Amino acid sequence: MTEQTTDILIIGGGPAGSTSALYLSQLGFDITIIEKKVFPRETLCGEFLSKEVTDILKELNLFDDFLSLSPNHLKSFRAIDDSGIELKSDLKFDAYAMKRSLFDSILLEKVKSVNIRVIQPAEVVTTIKSESEFVSQIEDRSGQIIQIKSKLVIAAYGKQNILDKKLQRGFVSKKSFLNGVKFHLPVNLLESSFREEIRIYTDDELYCGMNQVSDSDMTVCFLENRMQSKIPSRERLIDLIKSNSHFHKVFSDEAIEYIKTANVYGTGNIYFGNRDVIENGIIMVGDAARVISPLAGDGIGMAMESAKLLFEILKEFDIDNTNREKLYSLYKKRYKKIFNKRLSTAKIIQGIILNRKSRKLGFGLANKYPSLLPYLIKFTRSAKTA
């Protein structure tokens, strides 16, 4: 076993972890990131990048690098229910779409370029907090154990991680029955094109988002309630395409055949309820803190904003033990103020969409009162964007 020390240990090298590292390095901290996957890699995500994301990319001097990879510019949103009602709104802010394999790599390469230590691939096995420090055990690809002592630990590992169970987080034993699945579909297999628009198609206990992420690829990402269904997710989506005429007209027969063997990226039992943002002294950012309903298109935005929030708080405090409780208290308070309205609004809308009766009523009202949709979009965004 080898031993190392660092000021701040960050678990996860995705948008939340990399953004945390880039901001906190400005304060002169010695930082180490542990990332369990080899990049580039794909992960479950709708791949919608909102103004919250681009604002932070600009602050970190990464926006030009981002644009150089030709992200797809999105200008409007359309929701189509199973009866054929269509709700459309201009986004009224700059938004883009890009594969997560590309986006996450931009961020982590920037981290490495400013000499932040990255151990990859490796996984944090345990993290124990004492009065003055944290001691974490990391296992790298070769099976070697690395012990890292740090003053602070930030968890940026996404929706689910083995540490959730070890930390005895309250949501671990709860069953949501909500599964998410993503894959990329060649644009040339689609019957209709909507390059500048993000779309959501709805049906019973399922909704599916689509947005183009490059000249050649469309992201298809859907959330399903599996409480009653025993049909495999891929087959369920194909059945929906065939049975829902409004959804079916987007796909060619070749597209449906492609879906049968496409590489899929999924997560089961996604919990959208409350989570503690501090667990045994570990500060949670991104999806590790809370998961926002994907129809809001704000997952990456919240990941990066929560990293910035922590940075702004740490500018006020040293990270020694004497200030730790104040730091925890302030992070909890500001996190709630910034994100709770967005989280609650998105969860309510998701509940409406997944239920046939409430979906019919909701689409009917929004169709009758067109100003309602932009109003709801506003409530899923940060105060600056809204």
Side-chain angles (χ1 to χ4, degrees):
M1 181 175 71
T2 60
E3 296 185 0
Q4 299 180 13
T5 60
T6 190
D7 291 331
I8 300 175
L9 180 70
I10 300 175
I11 308 171
S18 290
T19 304
S20 296
L22 290 169
Y23 271 124
L24 295 176
S25 68
Q26 298 174 20
L27 302 179
F29 293 121
D30 182 80
I31 298 168
T32 300
I33 287 181
I34 309 298
E35 169 53 48
K36 67 179 181 180
K37 298 289 187 180
V38 175
F39 282 20
R41 60 89 181 92
E42 289 296 343
T43 188
L44 175 66
C45 182
E47 301 181 321
F48 176 79
L49 305 172
S50 61
K51 185 177 183 296
E52 291 86 354
V53 173
T54 56
D55 284 349
I56 288 177
L57 290 175
K58 290 172 184 176
E59 286 186 15
L60 295 173
N61 296 316
L62 277 167
F63 190 60
D64 288 343
D65 292 340
F66 170 71
L67 290 180
S68 72
L69 293 176
S70 303
N72 188 41
H73 195 192
L74 297 170
K75 298 180 180 179
S76 63
F77 167 83
R78 188 188 304 262
I80 302 126
D81 80 348
D82 45 317
S83 71
I85 294 177
E86 296 192 9
L87 309 175
K88 182 179 179 181
S89 174
D90 291 337
L91 290 176
K92 303 186 187 305
F93 55 83
D94 281 331
Y96 295 87
M98 175 185 279
K99 287 185 178 181
R100 279 290 298 273
S101 56
L102 280 176
F103 185 74
D104 291 17
S105 293
I106 294 172
L107 292 174
L108 196 60
E109 286 305 311
K110 180 67 172 180
V111 165
K112 293 175 181 178
S113 75
V114 295
N115 296 319
I116 294 169
R117 189 181 305 110
V118 178
I119 303 176
Q120 178 190 29
E123 186 166 14
V124 177
V125 180
T126 60
T127 295
I128 299 172
K129 175 180 175 289
S130 68
E131 282 193 17
S132 60
E133 65 184 5
F134 294 83
V135 179
S136 302
Q137 303 282 340
I138 289 90
E139 183 176 353
D140 68 13
R141 173 191 275 174
S142 67
Q144 180 183 3
I145 300 297
I146 306 167
Q147 179 176 282
I148 301 181
K149 295 181 179 179
S150 61
K151 296 178 182 178
L152 203 65
V153 173
I154 299 170
Y157 49 62
K159 300 173 183 66
Q160 299 171 357
N161 188 275
I162 190 173
L163 288 180
D164 290 328
K165 188 172 184 178
K166 292 184 177 182
L167 291 169
Q168 297 181 327
R169 301 187 75 186
F171 67 89
V172 171
S173 61
K174 296 180 180 179
K175 298 292 184 183
S176 72
F177 299 99
L178 297 174
N179 287 7
V181 176
K182 177 194 89 172
F183 59 89
H184 294 121
L185 186 65
V187 173
N188 61 8
L189 298 183
L190 297 174
E191 294 286 5
S192 60
S193 175
F194 41 94
R195 184 177 185 121
E196 296 182 340
E197 185 171 79
I198 180 170
R199 289 190 182 181
I200 291 181
Y201 290 88
T202 70
D203 210 289
D204 290 344
E205 303 293 338
L206 183 152
Y207 65 86
C208 180
M210 300 179 66
N211 49 258
Q212 192 164 330
V213 288
S214 69
D215 289 340
S216 59
D217 291 301
M218 177 78 71
T219 294
V220 181
C221 188
F222 64 95
L223 185 86
E224 57 170 344
N225 187 339
R226 296 198 60 79
M227 183 176 289
Q228 304 296 332
S229 177
K230 303 299 181 185
I231 303 171
S233 299
R234 195 193 304 256
E235 291 179 26
R236 190 175 183 188
L237 180 67
I238 292 171
D239 287 347
L240 171 62
I241 292 170
K242 291 179 178 179
S243 64
N244 184 325
S245 61
H246 311 287
F247 198 29
H248 192 185
K249 65 184 180 182
V250 177
F251 298 88
S252 66
D253 291 340
E254 291 82 4
I256 295 172
E257 286 300 312
Y258 183 92
I259 292 170
K260 293 178 180 179
T261 57
N263 290 327
V264 298
Y265 310 91
T267 301
N269 200 43
I270 303 172
Y271 183 73
F272 294 101
N274 291 326
R275 305 182 183 203
D276 290 332
V277 298
I278 307 291
E279 293 279 9
N280 195 31
I282 299 172
I283 300 173
M284 306 286 166
V285 294
D287 283 348
R290 283 287 301 273
V291 181
I292 192 167
S293 301
L295 58 84
D298 204 29
I300 300 176
M302 279 187 55
M304 299 177 78
E305 283 184 283
S306 58
K308 181 181 178 181
L309 166 63
L310 182 56
F311 161 69
E312 291 173 340
I313 293 172
L314 283 174
K315 285 194 295 187
E316 304 174 26
F317 296 98
D318 194 0
I319 58 173
D320 60 30
N321 190 50
T322 58
N323 290 313
R324 204 171 282 162
E325 291 305 318
K326 292 180 181 178
L327 163 63
Y328 295 157
S329 177
L330 194 54
Y331 183 71
K332 289 178 184 178
K333 181 180 179 181
R334 292 189 185 174
Y335 187 97
K336 182 177 180 180
K337 181 178 180 181
I338 292 172
F339 298 118
N340 269 23
K341 183 183 290 185
R342 266 187 266 180
L343 287 159
S344 299
T345 301
K347 189 177 179 183
I348 290 169
I349 297 171
Q350 177 167 281
I352 291 171
I353 285 178
L354 288 174
N355 180 275
R356 174 183 282 273
K357 290 182 179 179
S358 61
R359 181 174 69 250
K360 183 177 179 181
L361 177 61
F363 268 78
L365 284 171
N367 190 44
K368 185 175 181 180
Y369 302 102
S371 62
L372 183 59
L373 183 59
Y375 183 77
L376 290 174
I377 292 173
K378 176 181 177 180
F379 271 85
T380 63
R381 312 255 59 87
S382 74
K384 291 180 180 179
T385 300

